[in-house]
């Protein structure tokens, strides 16, 4: 039994912040009311004065690296990192080794997660067998086993006909196709965004059109097939503009971007910083502005972390040889709070939409709500705490955060999932 | 000066210090014995991940003329072929008591990566498409020697600007002295936003007319296979320093090239033989400049 006192409850849907106490009994929210008084020796009281309470977060795009790359991350370490960031449902991408492209692999991830993870881990199946972009995977069988979407993330399905078939086929199983949009003919050999900084550093650039031409292609295919297309890690102004138009046409499309694309620019690469090597690459100030505007308008539906752990030795190499990716769970909320709420004056409820409600809608899950009789899945946030991202504080097995050394505002102080305290006073309890 | 990684972050004063010292070093090159004790006892290692004749030999001679113990690691026969990482190579070199490492690498930023992970001095002998600082310094030395000044000049850089570390280092260096830079080359070989750093000419004639210096760049013939240029012949006709274009170049204009030259592709043999073409002189000046850089990088009091 847990009593959260003086909470500022942010529910997102009605866009209000309600001041109340929350009583949690077993795995459910028993009561929400002002000044709840309970006499029970087993009662755990959490004082949430000056704190926000959110429904816990869902990430529809992360990499847990198990099986095959456990030296970077595994289902348990990734889950704990997610808990640290306030996520209690995470969807892992299939680019493992072997890849999640068949029923047995889906079962393996589900089974392992039940065994070692304190939160909900939902696998995403591969669109194509072996992520080779040649033949459709057994999508129906994987759906039966528990996948919530399909994606060849990390790779683009370059064959337009195969992508069209994937969209049509996924419709039968009511799951979205998550597209990693990258024309590999245009991006080949590229190390960062093609632009001012790549010119000054002498690094081969990836033109922004490598992303947007495939966004345009996939939007046209989704328009024709009427399937649910989800475009992940959108990073350019042009992609946003295309998605905006497609939504006006009534195309069944949703999209996400990541915290680093709305806060950082290509300038992070200066000094050949390999932690700033991500794919798609960090873009320009103009793109950051366009993405923030698109979030405001609702063109961007949700935020995904694209948590992409890599071992320190893999990043501590020449820039060309470093793999792309940054970890993201533990900084996601604070980055969004700092850059959208504190710096841009967004309403606090927008974060619930972006992190709690919309990601779940996209993968057809019921939203977590802070309401009586609902499952107690919630996060307590200290909005005033300022902290610096330091390697030694990171929970993830990997430390490759593009935000290392950056100062952020707000902190995930406590996490409760199905009535269990997974994090309290900043300490992981699971 | 502990390292020389590029000219982008070097001040005008630091560049002048190197060039002034190189002037003295050139006197040593003119002497019969060509030997000084400046680097006696120092260990200089050359690590070249890319082929090179002139830069590598130039550095090696520069170090030897100053009394250093030099060793040259050929990557083709080194542990790199066994999969050793650059970081581990650096640690090995550290254990071998290296004082100065001269490195050429096909990846931009590789010398910076080494410098962040070692205690010895690192000199960049060319990294990817990023910088080739000693080449630009020797170009600047040659310009100053020939024209008597390094300021307020009109300089054209012709050819593959996109992939050229020589172009980048020259732009960074020459701009610090208030020189006006104009670039010209096929559109496929011009990097984005180059107009923020230099004037972009609309024709080769325009690029070379009324210039004090024309720096012609080497074109890598593999660019043809990658679809960036169509043929050597076409390149020479439209972008090469051929006889047709020479009439637009003043006889006082210095014609420079970092070498090695693709004769009849970037520049005609006849133009190479003209007195205002400085290709061979640049090579000699390169040793003097590299002697100066080696000297400055090994002065502990300056580090």
């Amino acid at each position: 039994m847990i009593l959260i006192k003086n909470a500022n409850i942010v529910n997102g849907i009605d866009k209000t912040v309600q001041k109340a106490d929350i009583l949690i009994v077993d795995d459910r929210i028993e009561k929400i009311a002002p000044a709840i008084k309970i006499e029970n020796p087993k009662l755990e009281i959490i004082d949430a004065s000056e704190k926000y309470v959110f429904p816990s977060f869902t990430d529809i795009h992360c990499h847990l690296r198990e099986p095959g790359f456990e030296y970077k991350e595994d289902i348990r370490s990734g889950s704990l990192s997610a808990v640290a960031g306030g996520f209690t449902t995470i969807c892992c991408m299939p680019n493992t080794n072997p890849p999640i492209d068949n029923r047995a692999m889906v079962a393996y991830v589900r089974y392992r997660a039940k065994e070692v993870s304190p939160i909900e881990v939902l696998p995403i199946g591969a669109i194509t067998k072996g992520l080779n972009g040649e033949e459709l995977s057994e999508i129906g069988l994987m759906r039966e086993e528990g996948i919530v979407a399909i994606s060849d993330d990390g790779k683009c399905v370059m064959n337009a006909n195969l992508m069209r078939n994937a969209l049509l086929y996924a419709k039968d199983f009511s799951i979205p196709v998550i597209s990693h949009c990258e024309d590999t003919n245009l991006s080949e050999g590229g190390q960062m965004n093609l632009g001012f900084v790549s010119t000054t550093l002498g690094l081969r650039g990836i033109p922004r059109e490598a992303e947007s031409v495939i966004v345009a292609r996939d939007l046209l295919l989704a328009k024709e097939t009427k399937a649910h297309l989800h475009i992940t890690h959108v990073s350019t102004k042009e992609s946003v503009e295309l998605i905006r138009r497609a939504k006006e046409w009534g195309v069944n499309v949703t999209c996400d971007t990541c915290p680093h694309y709305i806060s950082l620019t290509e300038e992070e690469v200066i000094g050949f910083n390999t932690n700033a090597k991500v794919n798609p690459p960090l873009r320009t100030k103009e793109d950051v502005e366009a993405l923030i505007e698109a979030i405001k308008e609702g063109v961007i539906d949700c935020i995904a972390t694209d948590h992409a752990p890599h071992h320190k030795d893999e990043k501590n190499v020449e820039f060309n040889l470093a793999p792309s990716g940054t970890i993201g769970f533990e900084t996601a909320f604070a980055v969004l709070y700092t850059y959208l709420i504190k710096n841009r004056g967004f309403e606090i409820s927008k974060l619930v939409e972006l992190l709690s409600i919309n990601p779940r809608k996209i993968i057809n899950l019921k939203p977590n709500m802070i309401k009586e009789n609902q499952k107690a899945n919630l996060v307590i946030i200290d909005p005033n705490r300022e902290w610096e991202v330091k390697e030694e504080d990171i929970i993830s097995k990997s430390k490759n955060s593009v935000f290392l050394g950056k100062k952020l505002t707000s902190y995930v102080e406590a996490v409760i999932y199905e009535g269990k305290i997974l994090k309290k006073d900043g300490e992981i309890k699971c | 000066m502990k390292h020389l990684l590029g000219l982008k972050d070097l001040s005008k004063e630091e560049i002048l210090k190197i060039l002034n010292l190189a002037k003295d070093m050139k006197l040593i090159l003119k002497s019969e014995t060509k030997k000084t004790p400046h680097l006696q006892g120092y260990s200089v290692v050359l690590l070249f991940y890319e082929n090179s004749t002139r830069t590598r030999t130039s550095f090696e001679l520069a170090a030897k003329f100053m009394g250093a113990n030099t060793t040259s690691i050929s990557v083709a026969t080194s542990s790199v072929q066994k999969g050793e990482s650059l970081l581990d190579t650096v640690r090995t070199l550290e254990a071998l008591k290296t004082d100065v490492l001269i490195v050429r690498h096909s990846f931009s930023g590789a010398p910076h990566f080494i410098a962040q992970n070692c205690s010895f001095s690192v000199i960049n002998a060319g990294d990817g498409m990023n910088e080739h600082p000693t080449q630009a310094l020797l170009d600047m030395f040659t310009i100053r020697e020939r024209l008597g000044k390094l300021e307020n000049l009109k300089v054209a850089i012709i050819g593959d600007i996109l992939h050229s570390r020589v172009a980048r280092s020259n732009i960074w260096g020459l701009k610090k002295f208030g020189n006006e830079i104009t670039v010209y080359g096929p559109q496929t070989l011009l990097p984005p936003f180059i107009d923020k750093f230099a004037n972009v000419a609309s024709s080769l004639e325009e690029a070379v007319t009324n210039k004090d210096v024309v720096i012609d760049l080497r074109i890598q013939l593999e660019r043809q296979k990658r679809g960036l240029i169509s043929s050597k012949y076409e390149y020479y006709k439209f972008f090469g320093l051929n006889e047709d274009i020479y009439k637009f170049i003043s006889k006082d204009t210095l014609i420079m090239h970092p070498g090695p030259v693709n004769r009849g592709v970037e520049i005609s043999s006849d133009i190479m033989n003209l007195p205002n073409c400085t290709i061979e002189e640049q090579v000699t000046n390169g040793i003097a400049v590299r002697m100066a850089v080696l000297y400055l990088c090994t002065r502990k009091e300056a580090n």
Side-chain angles (χ1 to χ4, degrees):
Chain A
M1 193 180 276
I2 305 162
L3 180 61
I4 303 172
K5 297 288 291 175
N6 303 312
N8 296 295
I9 304 166
V10 192
N11 244 328
I13 288 173
D14 52 10
K15 297 192 173 176
T16 56
V17 179
Q18 180 195 356
K19 185 103 183 163
D21 294 354
I22 304 168
L23 178 67
I24 298 166
V25 177
D26 299 328
D27 62 348
R28 294 192 174 267
I29 297 170
E30 173 98 358
K31 195 175 174 187
I32 298 176
I36 299 174
K37 278 187 184 154
I38 297 279
E39 295 293 332
N40 187 325
K42 285 186 182 168
L43 182 69
E44 182 151 0
I45 297 175
I46 300 175
D47 180 18
S49 316
E50 312 292 315
K51 312 270 165 72
Y52 285 121
V53 179
F54 282 78
S56 57
F57 312 138
T58 293
D59 186 11
I60 59 167
H61 184 154
C62 71
H63 300 268
L64 298 180
R65 305 296 190 206
E66 183 179 348
F69 307 102
E70 288 86 348
Y71 66 96
K72 300 177 196 245
E73 193 84 285
D74 56 43
I75 292 174
R76 170 132 185 108
S77 68
S79 298
L80 296 186
S81 177
V83 166
F87 294 89
T88 61
T89 300
I90 54 176
C91 306
C92 54
M93 284 294 174
N95 54 346
T96 49
N97 185 22
I100 308 171
D101 64 352
N102 61 69
R103 176 175 209 146
M105 284 304 299
V106 178
Y108 169 79
V109 173
R110 299 275 285 165
Y111 173 78
R112 278 291 290 164
K114 270 184 195 139
E115 207 175 39
V116 300
S117 173
I119 57 172
E120 187 175 33
V121 177
L122 302 171
I124 291 168
I127 298 174
T128 63
K129 286 178 188 162
L131 303 162
N132 286 331
E134 287 166 7
E135 213 181 327
L136 287 183
S137 315
E138 290 172 335
I139 296 162
L141 294 175
M142 289 196 292
R143 173 64 168 153
E144 219 170 47
E145 205 61 53
I147 61 165
V148 289
I150 49 169
S151 179
D152 272 5
D153 183 59
K155 288 181 172 180
C156 182
V157 178
M158 283 296 289
N159 180 330
N161 186 46
L162 189 63
M163 186 62 177
R164 182 177 173 275
N165 288 342
L167 285 160
L168 281 171
Y169 198 65
K171 266 172 80 176
D172 284 333
F173 303 102
S174 307
I175 49 172
V177 179
I178 301 182
S179 179
H180 168 112
C181 297
E182 178 186 354
D183 185 318
T184 48
N185 294 313
L186 286 170
S187 66
E188 192 192 352
Q191 300 294 325
M192 64 171 301
N193 184 49
L194 176 72
F196 181 76
V197 180
S198 69
T199 295
T200 62
L201 293 178
L203 285 172
R204 202 182 287 279
I206 300 171
R208 42 206 306 112
E209 289 71 24
E211 176 176 307
S212 51
V213 295
I214 300 292
V215 169
R217 182 201 74 173
D218 287 355
L219 288 170
L220 291 169
L221 295 174
K223 182 171 185 274
E224 186 236 340
T225 58
K226 298 186 172 57
H228 180 182
L229 169 72
H230 179 83
I231 297 173
T232 194
H233 49 48
V234 169
S235 73
T236 75
K237 187 183 169 186
E238 291 81 8
S239 300
V240 160
E241 184 54 31
L242 289 163
I243 294 165
R244 182 183 284 116
R245 296 253 177 110
K247 285 189 167 186
E248 283 165 11
W249 292 344
V251 177
N252 186 6
V253 59
T254 51
C255 71
D256 69 68
T257 189
C258 309
H260 40 282
Y261 299 120
I262 60 126
S263 53
L264 306 176
T265 66
E266 58 183 3
E267 289 182 18
E268 293 298 319
V269 178
I270 293 172
F272 302 97
N273 173 13
T274 54
N275 281 334
K277 185 174 177 182
V278 289
N279 187 22
L282 295 172
R283 305 288 186 181
T284 65
K285 200 166 180 288
E286 212 184 340
D287 295 294
V288 170
E289 292 300 322
L291 292 169
I292 291 176
E293 187 56 33
I295 289 173
K296 193 187 271 179
E297 290 172 24
V299 173
I300 290 175
D301 302 279
C302 77
I303 299 292
T305 66
D306 195 2
H307 178 81
H310 290 295
H311 193 272
K312 201 171 180 177
D313 288 346
E314 292 174 309
K315 281 285 193 179
N316 197 19
V317 292
E318 302 92 307
F319 196 86
N320 283 54
L321 297 182
S324 294
T326 171
I327 55 168
F329 287 138
E330 294 165 58
T331 47
F333 183 88
V335 170
L336 295 175
Y337 188 91
T338 308
Y339 288 87
L340 298 182
I341 310 293
K342 192 180 159 207
N343 296 355
R344 301 284 178 146
F346 275 51
E347 280 182 40
I348 190 80
S349 58
K350 187 73 185 176
L351 296 187
V352 185
E353 230 175 80
L354 294 171
L355 290 168
S356 310
I357 299 170
N358 292 353
R360 298 182 75 82
K361 276 191 193 162
I362 290 164
I363 51 169
N364 306 306
L365 298 180
K366 279 187 190 161
N368 288 327
M369 305 281 286
I370 305 179
K371 279 193 171 166
E372 288 176 2
N373 290 322
Q374 296 282 317
K375 283 264 170 87
N377 297 334
L378 47 88
V379 174
I380 301 174
I381 303 283
D382 180 347
N384 300 315
R385 179 156 161 193
E386 293 189 347
W387 59 292
E388 188 184 318
V389 184
K390 288 184 187 156
E391 204 175 301
E392 58 265 34
D393 298 330
I394 291 171
I395 302 289
S396 167
K397 222 183 245 189
S398 296
K399 314 295 172 193
N400 58 310
S401 171
V402 67
F403 293 102
L404 281 179
K406 303 256 186 261
K407 291 200 169 68
L408 300 174
T409 305
S410 83
Y411 188 74
V412 177
E413 209 162 83
V415 179
I416 297 171
Y417 178 59
E418 296 190 338
K420 287 193 199 83
I421 297 176
L422 303 185
K423 186 181 185 187
K424 195 185 163 196
D425 301 326
E427 293 284 320
I428 302 289
K429 303 280 182 192
C430 50
Chain B
M1 189 170 79
K2 173 149 185 185
H3 307 293
L4 177 66
L5 301 177
L7 296 195
K8 187 166 58 192
D9 300 320
L10 228 54
S11 69
K12 187 176 163 181
E13 289 67 35
E14 285 170 306
I15 292 173
L16 281 174
K17 195 172 173 184
I18 298 169
L19 298 184
N20 291 340
L21 187 60
K23 205 171 160 187
D24 298 337
M25 294 299 180
K26 198 170 176 184
L27 296 176
I28 298 167
L29 288 181
K30 285 179 180 162
S31 71
E32 260 178 47
T33 54
K34 296 197 279 292
K35 201 79 178 171
T36 78
H38 290 114
L39 294 189
Q40 205 164 36
Y42 284 94
S43 163
V44 174
V45 176
L46 295 105
L47 179 63
F48 275 57
Y49 284 79
E50 279 184 339
N51 296 335
S52 164
T53 305
R54 64 189 66 206
T55 305
R56 183 181 181 139
T57 313
S58 176
F59 264 117
E60 191 161 0
L61 286 175
K64 283 194 161 137
F65 289 160
M66 297 168 86
N69 298 310
T70 67
T71 188
S72 193
I73 302 169
S74 169
V75 169
T77 55
S78 76
S79 292
V80 172
Q81 296 305 318
K82 299 179 188 170
E84 186 177 73
S85 71
L86 182 55
L87 189 63
D88 285 334
T89 303
V90 167
R91 295 209 170 118
T92 303
L93 293 175
E94 196 130 50
L96 289 168
K97 304 295 173 197
T98 300
D99 294 306
V100 182
L101 178 73
I102 296 157
V103 63
R104 166 166 290 188
H105 206 290
S106 55
F107 296 152
S108 299
H112 303 70
F113 171 74
I114 297 172
Q116 284 158 15
N117 288 286
C118 72
S119 58
F120 48 74
S121 290
V122 180
I123 298 173
N124 181 358
D127 63 325
M129 312 190 300
N130 182 35
E131 286 224 42
H132 192 350
T134 54
Q135 177 67 45
L137 287 167
L138 74 88
D139 290 344
M140 291 162 83
F141 183 88
T142 308
I143 293 168
R144 190 170 77 164
E145 200 177 49
R146 278 282 197 123
L147 301 180
K149 64 172 191 168
L150 198 51
E151 290 92 7
N152 305 318
L153 298 168
K154 289 188 165 61
V155 181
I157 306 178
I158 310 295
D160 181 358
I161 313 291
L162 175 65
H163 298 95
S164 177
R165 51 197 175 208
V166 175
R168 281 179 178 78
S169 277
N170 265 311
I171 291 173
W172 300 130
L174 287 166
K175 277 184 75 96
K176 289 181 203 285
F177 291 84
N179 298 299
E180 190 185 301
I181 316 283
T182 301
V183 296
Y184 184 71
Q187 292 287 322
T188 48
L189 297 178
L190 293 179
F193 295 103
I194 188 65
D195 53 340
K196 287 200 175 188
F197 309 102
N199 304 321
V200 181
S202 51
S203 67
L204 188 53
E205 291 87 338
E206 184 196 323
V208 300
T209 304
N210 294 324
K211 295 297 183 291
D212 299 298
V213 180
V214 171
I215 301 174
D216 194 28
L217 299 173
R218 178 177 160 73
I219 182 100
Q220 281 184 299
L221 298 175
E222 66 171 53
R223 311 274 178 243
Q224 194 180 326
K225 288 183 199 137
R226 293 193 56 231
L228 296 168
I229 54 171
S230 55
S231 72
K232 287 191 276 185
Y233 170 72
E234 190 168 285
Y235 185 86
Y236 184 60
K237 183 166 166 53
F238 294 105
F239 305 99
L241 293 188
N242 54 35
E243 287 69 23
D244 292 341
I245 207 69
Y246 189 66
K247 57 180 180 259
F248 295 95
I249 303 177
S250 152
K251 304 232 168 338
D252 299 325
T253 302
L254 293 188
I255 299 174
M256 308 179 87
H257 191 296
V261 173
N262 289 306
R263 285 173 188 259
V265 180
E266 297 124 20
I267 188 166
S268 79
S269 290
D270 289 346
I271 294 175
M272 284 173 72
N273 293 333
L274 291 166
N276 54 332
C277 188
T278 63
I279 298 175
E280 281 167 32
E281 221 171 300
Q282 286 169 263
V283 177
T284 307
N285 289 339
I287 310 180
V289 161
R290 287 171 180 127
M291 286 169 79
V293 169
L294 279 164
Y295 178 78
L296 291 170
C297 284
T298 48
R299 292 311 95 187
K300 289 200 168 56
E301 66 275 14
N303 294 337

